[in-house]
Amino acid sequence: MNYNSLKGSEWRKWDLHFHTPSSYDYKNKGISDEEIIERLSKKEIFVVAITDHHLIDVDRIKKLQDLGSKKNITVLPGIELRCELGGSESIHFIGIFSEESNIDDIWTDLQSNCGLKPSQVIKKGNEKVYVDLNDTAKLIHSLGGLISIHAGSKTNTIENITNSLSYKMAIKVDLVENIDIYELGKIEDQKGYSENVFPNIGKNIPMIICSDNHNINRYSLKENLWIKSNPTFEGLKQIIYEPNERVFIGDEPELLKRVRENKLKFITSLKITQVNGYDEKYGVWFKDNYIPMNHGLVAIIGNRGKGKSAIADILGLSGNSYRYEDFSFIKADRFLKDGLAENFQAELEWESGEKIPKNLSDQIDRNSPERVRYIPQNFFEKLTNNLENYQFEKTLEDIVFSYLPEEQNSGKSSFEELLDYKKKNIERNISVIFKDLNKLNEQIISLEKKIHPDYKEQIKNKLDLKSKELEQHEKIKPQKVDVTPETDEQKKLTSELNRLNGELDDIIKNIKENEAKNKNFKIEIEELNEIKDDINAFDQEIRKYKFENNEKLSKYGLDINKILKFDVDFTTLNDRITYKENDLKNVKDLLVTNNEIESIFNPDERVRVENISLRKKETDKKQELESIKKKLSEPEIKYQKYLESLKAWEEQKKQLVGDENNVYSIKWLNDELSYINKNLSTELITLREKRINKVLEIYSQKSDLVQIYSQIKNAIDQEISQYKTILGGYDISIEAALKLDQGFYEKFLGYIHQGVNGSFRGTDEGKNVLGKLISNAGFNSEDKLKILLKDIIKYLEVDKREKYDDELRNIKDQILIENNWLEFYNYIFLLNYLEPFYELKISNKQLAQLSPGEKGALLIVFYLLLDKEEIPLIIDQPEENLDNESIYKILTHFIKLTKKKRQVIIVTHNPNLAIVGDAEQIIFVSMDKKNGNKFSYEAGAIEDSKINKHASDVLEGTLKAFDIRRLKYLQI
């Protein structure tokens, strides 16, 4: 028995484009078939398609198939062809056939219809063999084959057909009808096809990457091609129906990675047998049954009373499920009766190799963790038929809490503890957000002060004064003095003066640059130290938390240091601070004055600083200049004084005109006026939007409080809301809101200056205006909150009282005391006046109004969505009490989503769950009651013909489910 095939569809490496020495362009004709199979085996290739150029070497393929079977490698016959399309670079496509096909007949048909007879190929030449793509594709399909075509960035690709002409684009669209698979050149090509091409052509086509190998000695894969199916041609056909779920290009599919990293959370097999010495006097029942388990979705099917629930119960028992009391097979009045169960034993094997033995009469151990999450059929029936609504609500609460992963229940033992803990966390998170919000409010207030007419008037007045100063300054510009050196000596001195003045200018420029550096380094060092202080404060907060909670955890034998590991390493930060401090010191040394140099008592240090001090160099250079000036003639002295006066005048003018960094200079004032006129409003709008976004972060935190309260009735709303479309008629909604504190109106109006006209003037009138804003918007959604907060600002800037007809106001004037402005904004935008309130509804119906079927759908959705555990999920007949449409629309979607996160095993007699849910493995179970209740099973993939037959016989409507599955992907 091949246990691998029993496990159904599994991820394996495939290569669907591979050449042998039979190809005319193969690099080493001496390669043997044995070498080919051996190399493929070492590369862990399970399926290879032999695709030689316009040739099917029947004898070679048959030999490769024989050799491959001994290495568990399936060899598919194939052929690579060149078509007439594509212009200068022809398009290549490949036909792939079943390993069970009659290769001789296929090759005969291809030769006859495509001009591929040896004589025809020799006559044309290997490089000039072309076939008609559409006709040949239809022929290959009629012979039972599949078509792959070069696409994307691969050579000889379909993309060589240009889109520049409409008829060529039409050719591309027509081609899609005959193409089954796209063979890409690189992994990045997938995105373009998925996002652009497939939506436009109305078809989702599987994409693969292959080796296109022409030399087995250099065999390598650009990317691993993984296909989830049986390693057969029938398995390959499944990617047509499930292109996204069945094909993966890359290092490793997510499932294999999860299994590799979580081997204790995936069941590999279940063994059920008789205990030694049992004489079968009570029946055969279970004897030497070894059932391999797929790591994806496993569907256990069979006729009623044939052992489906027995397997589910045995898995639940072996996995230590706490739902033992709800088992339907292993229970007192059935299999446990008269000591029957003690004659049988089970062994659950995990991917890690761990084996857990259980006698079927054993109890579960509540002191040990659940290794599986089992939902027996009886459990659903008991809850959904419970007429007491409170019990159902209480069960939802228990489900939410019990099934929250450890990182979400925070180690708490009750909902009350969890709520208190979450509140503290949320308050802590809000305090962090508040720092950013407070800073934004300070920036906004700064801009709102500038938008006040008084500020603009002040700037204009200062600009007028500065302009007058500049006008007066222009009047005192030094009179130009011309002089011509009288002697060569004077010429030489003048030249030396010019040189020294140039050097002095360079020194002064250097001083200014280093002064700027000095300022920047100080700022950077201060910022780095602030970061260090923040981290240190956070570190102290963590230490405090650990100290305060250590005793709580220690009484449970837990070490908080093992649960909460936090480490602060200031090494790199201190290094950066030291580096900046060294930079600052170096700059300071350059800017040291003569007096400061004199105060240095270390002779060596004094000499070092003297040599680099720019200020000393400035002084020395000025002394040199003064020394030379004394040797000048009277005219030259006057000329030099003129130059100095002109320089000083220009420097003063420069200070008056200034730049954008020189506060209250003409340039700065002009820029400020321009900024007020052109950019201030835009920047204010931007900052206000940032503030709104920051408020929404706080709102999100407060909404989490609402969600925590809602978990008493419901699971996490955010999780459920992602699937509103799928849920359809079972729309789960939480009527949860943030309730306004009763003191809000009084506190709000307490900040408003009642002696100044504005929307909120007057206690009663202001309260009415504020009340209307809240009733029109409110706090129950982000959008409504945004509207409300924006309206509050709008009403502060515009008088919305009826008799004032939207007269403009200034926020600065509206605040009672200017110093309270920041306090007012922090109050409004921190949302401390909101408290949580909740109510749960299903499709706008209260819980008491739900039918058993609706309750069942709600419960199963809760289990599938809210259980964040990664241990196997086993469900016995989740479709009970639900109509087929609901099963197809809801459960199949959620089961497919859930199997991406964990191993799922379902017992079902519904075709939608097994077939449309795309079960990786179907286990057909049977119990021969005439032969001592002997249990037996068959297992495999959906594409396995025997499993297909069993599914059709057992699952009512299965053939229709297969049709739905196929049509679903043909319509994409």
Side-chain angles (χ1 to χ4, degrees):
M1 182 181 292
N2 186 342
Y3 289 120
N4 284 330
S5 65
L6 293 179
K7 292 184 76 170
S9 299
E10 294 189 281
W11 287 108
R12 298 177 175 91
K13 293 181 186 178
W14 294 46
D15 189 348
L16 297 174
H17 188 169
F18 184 91
H19 293 272
T20 73
S22 298
S23 278
Y24 73 89
D25 57 350
Y26 201 81
K27 303 303 180 185
N28 187 344
K29 298 288 186 178
I31 293 295
S32 69
D33 295 335
E34 288 80 2
E35 289 176 284
I36 289 173
I37 294 299
E38 185 63 31
R39 181 58 64 91
L40 290 172
S41 178
K42 287 182 179 179
K43 289 289 186 178
E44 299 180 327
I45 301 298
F46 279 83
V47 183
V48 62
I50 305 303
T51 56
D52 291 322
H53 291 291
H54 39 264
L55 170 69
I56 296 180
D57 188 334
V58 176
D59 293 335
R60 182 186 291 276
I61 289 176
K62 287 181 178 179
K63 183 179 179 183
L64 288 170
Q65 287 178 329
D66 181 60
L67 293 168
S69 66
K70 299 169 185 175
K71 294 280 191 178
N72 289 323
I73 297 175
T74 302
V75 177
L76 302 178
I79 184 170
E80 182 172 8
L81 300 167
R82 183 188 299 114
C83 78
E84 81 286 1
L85 301 174
S88 60
E89 187 179 316
S90 59
I91 295 173
H92 287 199
F93 66 101
I94 289 173
I96 303 173
F97 302 93
S98 169
E99 71 277 10
E100 297 178 352
S101 61
N102 188 321
I103 316 175
D104 297 275
D105 289 349
I106 289 173
W107 178 225
T108 299
D109 283 348
L110 287 173
Q111 288 182 89
S112 299
N113 291 285
C114 301
L116 298 177
K117 293 180 179 179
S119 59
Q120 294 172 308
V121 173
I122 292 171
K123 182 177 179 181
K124 296 176 185 176
N126 283 308
E127 293 287 354
K128 296 182 179 179
V129 176
Y130 293 88
V131 300
D132 183 277
L133 193 151
N134 279 327
D135 291 344
T136 307
K138 292 175 182 176
L139 174 61
I140 290 172
H141 281 149
S142 72
L143 295 172
L146 295 176
I147 304 291
S148 72
I149 195 164
H150 290 199
S153 59
K154 189 169 177 59
T155 56
N156 306 109
T157 173
I158 191 174
E159 295 306 322
N160 289 336
I161 301 178
T162 179
N163 292 340
S164 59
L165 298 176
S166 59
Y167 81 92
K168 288 195 173 183
M169 185 59 192
I171 290 174
K172 276 190 179 183
V173 175
D174 290 341
L175 287 178
V176 171
E177 298 303 317
N178 294 317
I179 302 302
D180 302 300
I181 302 168
Y182 276 10
E183 182 183 347
L184 309 179
K186 56 185 180 180
I187 197 168
E188 292 81 5
D189 294 340
Q190 292 180 100
K191 185 176 181 182
Y193 281 107
S194 297
E195 295 181 357
N196 303 316
V197 178
F198 295 160
N200 287 328
I201 65 176
K203 186 177 181 181
N204 199 1
I205 299 175
M207 294 175 282
I208 63 175
I209 289 181
C210 305
S211 70
D212 195 2
N213 180 261
H214 283 70
N215 186 351
I216 195 64
N217 289 331
R218 296 183 179 178
Y219 184 68
S220 64
L221 299 166
K222 304 170 190 174
E223 299 284 350
N224 291 326
L225 169 63
W226 300 85
I227 292 179
K228 184 180 65 175
S229 73
N230 273 350
T232 62
F233 183 76
E234 284 300 312
L236 176 62
K237 287 165 67 174
Q238 299 307 307
I239 73 173
I240 309 300
Y241 315 122
E242 300 278 353
N244 297 325
E245 287 79 4
R246 293 267 188 165
V247 181
F248 177 80
I249 300 172
D251 292 338
E252 184 180 34
E254 180 60 29
L255 174 62
L256 296 188
K257 180 183 177 184
R258 282 192 289 112
V259 173
R260 177 171 51 79
E261 294 176 350
N262 301 277
K263 292 185 177 182
L264 290 171
K265 296 179 180 178
F266 287 89
I267 298 171
T268 294
S269 66
L270 174 67
K271 182 179 179 181
I272 321 171
T273 189
Q274 300 169 353
V275 300
N276 291 333
Y278 175 55
D279 59 6
E280 298 186 355
K281 64 180 179 179
Y282 299 115
V284 179
W285 292 95
F286 305 101
K287 184 175 182 178
D288 299 329
N289 298 116
Y290 179 84
I291 309 175
M293 293 280 182
N294 192 286
H295 294 139
L297 172 61
V298 179
I300 301 174
I301 67 172
N303 293 315
R304 293 186 183 275
K306 295 298 185 179
K308 300 190 302 294
S309 293
I311 298 302
D313 278 6
I314 293 170
L315 285 167
L317 175 67
S318 302
N320 201 44
S321 166
Y322 293 167
R323 295 292 178 195
Y324 182 79
E325 289 77 10
D326 296 307
F327 285 10
S328 58
F329 176 76
I330 302 177
K331 63 178 187 175
D333 60 348
R334 291 195 67 185
F335 198 61
L336 293 175
K337 189 176 181 180
D338 298 328
L340 174 60
E342 65 188 28
N343 296 298
F344 303 92
Q345 59 191 14
E347 184 179 79
L348 198 62
E349 183 176 3
W350 298 85
E351 182 64 22
S352 64
E354 178 189 10
K355 297 179 180 180
I356 299 177
K358 278 278 186 181
N359 187 281
L360 298 192
S361 65
D362 288 346
Q363 297 281 317
I364 57 113
D365 181 4
R366 291 193 177 274
N367 292 322
S368 296
E370 286 186 305
R371 296 292 296 274
V372 300
R373 185 77 77 226
Y374 179 34
I375 316 300
Q377 181 183 354
N378 286 349
F379 175 69
F380 274 108
E381 291 178 352
K382 182 172 66 177
L383 285 181
T384 56
N385 292 304
N386 186 346
L387 297 178
E388 293 183 14
N389 191 55
Y390 170 75
Q391 182 61 37
F392 183 65
E393 292 182 56
K394 183 69 169 61
T395 301
L396 291 181
E397 177 183 331
D398 292 340
I399 291 172
V400 172
F401 185 72
S402 298
Y403 286 78
L404 282 175
E406 185 176 345
E407 67 270 15
Q408 289 191 20
N409 65 37
S410 309
K412 305 304 175 186
S413 58
S414 69
F415 241 132
E416 185 178 359
E417 284 187 24
L418 178 62
L419 289 172
D420 289 341
Y421 176 77
K422 289 291 185 180
K423 284 179 181 178
K424 289 178 182 177
N425 278 347
I426 288 170
E427 288 168 2
R428 187 181 297 115
N429 292 338
I430 289 176
S431 69
V432 173
I433 299 171
F434 172 67
K435 292 180 181 179
D436 294 334
L437 179 65
N438 184 72
K439 186 176 181 180
L440 278 170
N441 280 333
E442 288 176 341
Q443 293 172 326
I444 289 169
I445 289 171
S446 174
L447 296 188
E448 287 174 344
K449 287 179 179 178
K450 290 184 177 183
I451 213 167
H452 195 285
D454 289 351
Y455 180 76
K456 183 176 180 180
E457 187 66 24
Q458 292 168 10
I459 295 298
K460 288 176 66 177
N461 291 337
K462 289 178 180 178
L463 179 60
D464 288 343
L465 181 59
K466 284 288 181 182
S467 298
K468 290 176 181 178
E469 287 183 32
L470 179 60
E471 184 181 342
Q472 291 300 316
H473 189 67
E474 290 287 356
K475 294 178 180 179
I476 61 171
K477 182 176 182 180
Q479 293 295 317
K480 186 175 181 182
V481 175
D482 293 321
V483 65
T484 302
E486 299 174 351
T487 64
D488 291 341
E489 179 64 22
Q490 288 296 311
K491 290 180 182 179
K492 185 176 180 181
L493 289 172
T494 300
S495 176
E496 182 67 8
L497 278 173
N498 291 337
R499 180 184 67 79
L500 291 173
N501 276 318
E503 292 176 356
L504 179 61
D505 288 342
D506 290 341
I507 292 170
I508 293 172
K509 180 181 178 183
N510 202 354
I511 288 172
K512 290 182 178 179
E513 290 173 352
N514 279 280
E515 285 175 339
K517 287 182 181 179
N518 183 65
K519 179 181 178 181
N520 290 334
F521 286 150
K522 286 180 178 178
I523 292 171
E524 289 173 351
I525 291 169
E526 185 177 352
E527 287 180 350
L528 288 170
N529 279 311
E530 284 178 359
I531 293 170
K532 183 177 179 180
D533 289 342
D534 285 344
I535 296 173
N536 189 58
F538 185 65
D539 181 35
Q540 293 303 316
E541 188 175 348
I542 295 293
R543 292 176 186 275
K544 179 183 176 184
Y545 176 84
K546 290 171 71 174
F547 176 78
E548 291 175 348
N549 291 275
N550 184 50
E551 188 176 344
K552 290 182 190 175
L553 293 169
S554 63
K555 69 180 181 181
Y556 296 109
L558 299 173
D559 183 354
I560 195 168
N561 293 310
K562 291 183 178 179
I563 297 173
L564 178 56
K565 295 181 178 180
F566 181 78
D567 183 49
V568 174
D569 186 353
F570 284 122
T571 303
T572 55
L573 183 56
N574 286 334
D575 288 345
R576 184 52 57 93
I577 292 173
T578 301
Y579 180 81
K580 289 293 180 184
E581 286 175 342
N582 287 334
D583 284 343
L584 179 62
K585 183 180 181 305
N586 292 335
V587 168
K588 284 183 175 181
D589 286 347
L590 293 174
L591 298 176
V592 70
T593 64
N594 288 336
N595 289 337
E596 290 170 335
I597 292 173
E598 291 298 323
S599 66
I600 298 175
F601 297 104
N602 186 319
D604 293 337
E605 179 67 10
R606 183 184 299 175
V607 171
R608 185 189 70 80
V609 174
E610 282 180 342
N611 289 333
I612 64 173
S613 171
L614 294 173
R615 294 268 169 74
K616 184 175 187 308
K617 289 179 181 179
E618 179 187 20
T619 301
D620 293 346
K621 197 63 64 179
K622 286 180 177 179
Q623 288 176 352
E624 285 186 67
L625 282 166
E626 290 302 321
S627 176
I628 293 175
K629 288 177 184 177
K630 291 178 180 178
K631 301 177 183 179
L632 295 174
S633 65
E634 188 66 25
E636 284 289 346
I637 291 173
K638 288 182 180 181
Y639 179 68
Q640 289 300 322
K641 285 183 177 181
Y642 160 72
L643 292 178
E644 291 173 4
S645 299
L646 181 62
K647 187 175 182 180
W649 182 87
E650 289 175 342
E651 184 63 30
Q652 189 175 353
K653 180 180 178 181
K654 185 178 178 182
Q655 292 296 320
L656 285 169
V657 175
D659 56 33
E660 63 275 6
N661 297 317
N662 193 345
V663 179
Y664 297 130
S665 65
I666 291 174
K667 178 67 168 64
W668 184 91
L669 291 166
N670 274 317
D671 287 350
E672 187 75 351
L673 273 180
S674 177
Y675 167 73
I676 292 169
N677 293 327
K678 297 178 181 178
N679 302 323
L680 176 56
S681 295
T682 302
E683 185 174 335
L684 182 57
I685 291 170
T686 301
L687 284 178
R688 284 176 175 174
E689 282 298 319
K690 285 183 178 180
R691 177 171 63 184
I692 290 293
N693 291 334
K694 195 59 63 176
V695 173
L696 293 182
E697 290 183 34
I698 295 174
Y699 183 82
S700 176
Q701 292 291 325
K702 287 188 168 286
S703 295
D704 283 346
L705 278 175
V706 177
Q707 299 307 321
I708 293 167
Y709 282 109
S710 300
Q711 284 173 352
I712 299 173
K713 304 288 186 181
N714 192 13
I716 304 168
D717 181 60
Q718 183 179 359
E719 188 76 18
I720 292 175
S721 65
Q722 299 177 39
Y723 308 104
K724 293 287 187 183
T725 303
I726 299 173
L727 286 165
Y730 294 102
D731 182 32
I732 302 171
S733 61
I734 299 174
E735 296 292 336
L738 289 168
K739 187 178 179 182
L740 186 65
D741 182 82
Q742 292 182 351
F744 173 74
Y745 290 93
E746 184 179 351
K747 186 87 179 272
F748 179 97
L749 295 172
Y751 288 104
I752 303 301
H753 196 317
Q754 297 301 321
V756 176
N757 279 329
S759 300
F760 302 108
R761 184 177 183 182
T763 303
D764 292 336
E765 189 174 3
K767 187 174 182 179
N768 289 335
V769 171
L770 188 57
K772 287 180 182 178
L773 287 181
I774 293 172
S775 62
N776 290 337
F779 304 98
N780 293 333
S781 74
E782 289 188 355
D783 290 337
K784 289 182 177 180
L785 177 65
K786 286 164 67 174
I787 292 171
L788 175 62
L789 295 177
K790 288 182 178 181
D791 280 348
I792 286 175
I793 297 300
K794 185 191 300 182
Y795 275 51
L796 286 169
E797 292 183 317
V798 176
D799 199 331
K800 287 292 183 176
R801 292 176 298 173
E802 186 175 345
K803 62 181 179 181
Y804 288 96
D805 195 25
D806 287 354
E807 190 174 332
L808 295 179
R809 306 292 183 209
N810 291 286
I811 297 179
K812 180 182 177 182
D813 300 331
Q814 300 291 300
I815 307 303
L816 181 60
I817 301 175
E818 188 172 323
N819 293 340
N820 287 343
W821 199 343
L822 180 60
E823 183 183 319
F824 172 63
Y825 274 175
N826 286 340
Y827 172 70
I828 294 299
F829 295 101
L830 188 56
L831 309 181
N832 276 342
Y833 42 84
L834 298 180
E835 294 295 333
F837 166 79
Y838 72 89
E839 182 182 8
L840 174 68
K841 289 184 179 179
I842 310 299
S843 303
N844 288 322
K845 290 194 286 187
Q846 295 176 341
L847 294 180
Q849 299 173 307
L850 298 181
S851 69
E854 288 171 320
K855 287 183 180 179
L858 177 61
L859 280 170
I860 190 64
V861 168
F862 267 45
Y863 277 112
L864 291 173
L865 281 185
L866 299 185
D867 189 353
K868 300 300 184 182
E869 281 282 7
E870 296 175 345
I871 58 177
L873 176 63
I874 305 165
I875 311 177
D876 188 1
Q877 298 182 57
E879 68 270 20
E880 288 299 303
N881 296 321
L882 295 180
D883 59 273
N884 275 337
E885 185 178 1
S886 298
I887 293 167
Y888 176 70
K889 286 185 176 181
I890 299 176
L891 294 192
T892 52
H893 287 282
F894 285 124
I895 286 173
K896 291 181 79 170
L897 287 169
T898 304
K899 75 175 185 176
K900 293 179 180 180
K901 302 183 290 185
R902 66 200 302 183
Q903 189 176 24
V904 180
I905 302 169
I906 57 170
V907 171
T908 182
H909 51 73
N910 187 285
N912 284 323
L913 292 184
I915 307 303
V916 183
D918 194 32
E920 277 75 14
Q921 180 189 28
I922 293 180
I923 300 175
F924 167 70
V925 300
S926 180
M927 194 168 280
D928 186 353
K929 295 186 178 180
K930 293 181 180 180
N931 188 18
N933 289 310
K934 184 178 180 180
F935 174 86
S936 62
Y937 80 94
E938 290 185 62
I942 289 175
E943 56 264 29
D944 186 284
S945 58
K946 289 183 179 179
I947 298 302
N948 263 221
K949 179 68 168 59
H950 285 309
S952 299
D953 291 342
V954 173
L955 304 177
E956 183 181 352
T958 304
L959 293 179
K960 181 179 179 182
F962 273 110
D963 292 338
I964 291 173
R965 183 167 174 267
R966 282 163 169 74
L967 287 172
K968 174 182 172 185
Y969 288 96
L970 292 174
Q971 292 172 354
I972 290 178

